[in-house]
Amino acid sequence: MFELKNILRENIKNLKPYSSARDEFQGEASVYLDANENAFGSPLEQNYNRYPDPMQYAVKKRLSDIKGVPPRNIFLGNGSDEAIDILFRSFCNPGTDNVILVPPTYGMYEVSANINDVETRKVNLTDEYQLNMEGIAEAIDKNTKLIFICSPNNPTGNSIHREDIETLLTNFNGLVVVDEAYINFSRQKTFIQELTEYANLVVLQTLSKAWGLAALRVGMAFASEEIIEVMNKVKPPYNVNEASQQLALQALQNVEQVNQWIKETLSERDQLVLNLKAFDFVLEIYPSDANFILVKTTDAKGIYNFLVSHGIIVRDRSKVELCEGALRFTIGTPEENKTLLNTLKEYQA
Ligand code: PMP
């Protein structure tokens, strides 16, 4: 049986969080002399002299309307990378606890684990890039606190079978973290509607991909109110800056534009796949539910260097286990994809 108190670190359980000036007084006043800010203003057209809302309420309210999840179930971070780090710091005792990773997958889970001195137990995906459920069951012990599942997965692009994730959610007594950074490009259903079903579910999403706001650094975690409370206690008080909050709020009014880009990206992806199949050096193109494709080639390094010399940068994943010979192409604009294909024609010639 999953119980949050069983996986929470003792020091975090007892932590009295920092109480900021903005936490202590909420409401409207005419004179703010409580936070040692510069009362005159900022040397900019717009003023940023006041600390931002530590709980980012306006952004969460808008996200809540879009996602159908109450604000109390939403955590906002400086990118979802911050949410990943906070999960380690909240639930994993350095030097004792471990987490399950299922490579090939997003690299920050391992880096974050290493920073926090938390053991990683790696259970490779199968040849079909799906979960090795038996391997995972064997790797879990009483000190296993988190399992990271990226779906759609980076760098392979495929979605992980929903029933397997559900099996983990039902049977694992730690947190199952489902990273849905690329969910907007997928036909698969999100897990954020399942929060009431599973007390040990954490879903990560981000404004960095489909929403086109990578530079603002706004990531989301969706989870039970209890988990979100813990994450809020551990986060730095003002982890999402005011400019990012304002711009994110503005961008979140523009759902139609984003949906239009998603459609275009998907049709560009299909087109790119068709065109790539014609090249002799392409051995396999893996099915993708994301805004990138993993392409197995005869000469990843050669193609990579040729593209770089023509000013085109792709991601070389050929040294990653189970991705031997593979390059990862992000789907660009129609112009960019055309340039990529024309340059690959030159490579082949
Ligand atoms: N998860 C996955 C699967 C990613 O690919 C990335 C970014 N490459 C992130 C999380 C981090 O995103 P953010 O910009 O929100 O920190």
Side-chain angles (χ1 to χ4, degrees), residues 115-127:
I115 291 169
N116 289 288
D117 192 18
V118 171
E119 182 198 344
T120 55
R121 299 193 169 184
K122 294 181 198 157
V123 183
N124 279 359
L125 294 176
T126 63
D127 290 342

Side-chain angles (χ1 to χ4, degrees), residues 253-270:
Q253 309 303 326
N254 235 330
V255 186
E256 287 75 27
Q257 171 67 81
V258 172
N259 284 338
Q260 181 51 39
W261 279 329
I262 292 169
K263 264 196 217 147
E264 247 185 281
T265 302
L266 298 189
S267 101
E268 281 297 309
R269 184 183 70 196
D270 292 347

Side-chain angles (χ1 to χ4, degrees), residues 23-314:
D23 284 317
E24 283 183 10
F25 177 81
Q26 288 164 8
E28 286 302 311
S30 51
V31 182
Y32 285 97
L33 303 176
D34 58 346
N36 302 346
E37 297 144 333
N38 179 342
F40 294 95
S42 313
L44 292 170
E45 264 175 46
Q46 193 170 348
N47 279 332
Y48 289 102
N49 56 324
R50 301 298 179 184
Y51 282 101
D53 173 4
M55 292 299 163
Q56 312 103 6
Y57 193 76
V59 183
K60 284 182 188 169
K61 179 74 188 64
R62 178 69 192 139
L63 279 171
S64 166
D65 292 341
I66 294 174
K67 305 278 179 185
V69 172
R72 63 176 182 279
N73 295 108
I74 306 175
F75 166 90
L76 292 187
N78 193 304
S80 40
D81 282 343
E82 186 182 43
I84 293 167
D85 182 61
I86 287 177
L87 289 169
F88 279 101
R89 291 199 282 146
S90 304
F91 300 107
C92 301
N93 289 296
T96 328
D97 289 336
N98 68 73
V99 300
I100 308 279
L101 305 183
V102 291
T105 193
Y106 180 47
M108 270 310 283
Y109 313 138
E110 181 166 16
V111 174
S112 227
N114 289 341
I115 291 169
N116 289 288
D117 192 18
V118 171
E119 182 198 344
T120 55
R121 299 193 169 184
K122 294 181 198 157
V123 183
N124 279 359
L125 294 176
T126 63
D127 290 342
E128 282 78 44
Y129 294 147
Q130 290 297 329
L131 299 179
N132 169 356
M133 293 298 281
E134 273 178 26
I136 291 174
E138 278 167 25
I140 292 172
D141 71 8
K142 64 177 191 342
N143 293 324
T144 306
K145 298 300 183 69
L146 311 171
I147 300 179
F148 284 90
I149 310 289
C150 187
S151 183
N153 187 36
N154 177 8
T156 59
N158 64 297
S159 297
I160 302 298
H161 292 152
R162 194 177 180 85
E163 315 79 67
D164 285 348
I165 300 177
E166 287 167 349
T167 301
L168 292 176
L169 282 162
T170 306
N171 295 301
F172 178 51
N173 289 332
L175 298 183
V176 178
V177 183
V178 182
D179 187 343
E180 294 186 339
Y182 299 97
I183 193 71
N184 307 72
F185 302 103
S186 170
R187 276 162 290 126
Q188 305 298 318
K189 215 173 106 201
T190 169
F191 266 90
I192 61 174
Q193 311 307 337
E194 318 301 326
L195 294 176
T196 44
E197 188 79 21
Y198 302 107
N200 59 343
L201 170 64
V202 178
V203 181
L204 302 179
Q205 292 187 5
T206 179
L207 297 187
S208 299
K209 307 296 175 185
W211 281 93
L213 301 171
L216 296 188
R217 314 303 303 126
V218 182
M220 311 156 240
F222 302 89
S224 73
E225 203 173 341
E226 293 71 28
I227 295 173
I228 298 298
E229 270 173 18
V230 171
M231 295 179 75
N232 281 333
K233 229 163 83 155
V234 173
K235 80 178 181 69
Y238 303 114
N239 62 327
V240 181
N241 72 69
E242 178 64 21
S244 291
Q245 290 194 39
Q246 282 178 7
L247 291 169
L249 194 57
Q250 219 175 303
L252 289 167
Q253 309 303 326
N254 235 330
V255 186
E256 287 75 27
Q257 171 67 81
V258 172
N259 284 338
Q260 181 51 39
W261 279 329
I262 292 169
K263 264 196 217 147
E264 247 185 281
T265 302
L266 298 189
S267 101
E268 281 297 309
R269 184 183 70 196
D270 292 347
Q271 200 55 44
L272 189 63
V273 168
L274 278 181
N275 285 311
L276 284 172
K277 279 185 176 157
F279 291 113
D280 294 340
F281 58 80
V282 169
L283 297 176
E284 188 164 2
I285 304 172
Y286 297 92
S288 170
D289 269 336
N291 66 336
F292 56 84
I293 46 175
L294 189 70
V295 182
K296 191 167 191 164
T297 66
T298 52
D299 178 20
K301 194 79 206 148
I303 297 165
Y304 177 84
N305 288 335
F306 187 81
L307 290 174
V308 169
S309 72
H310 287 75
I312 300 172
I313 316 301
V314 300

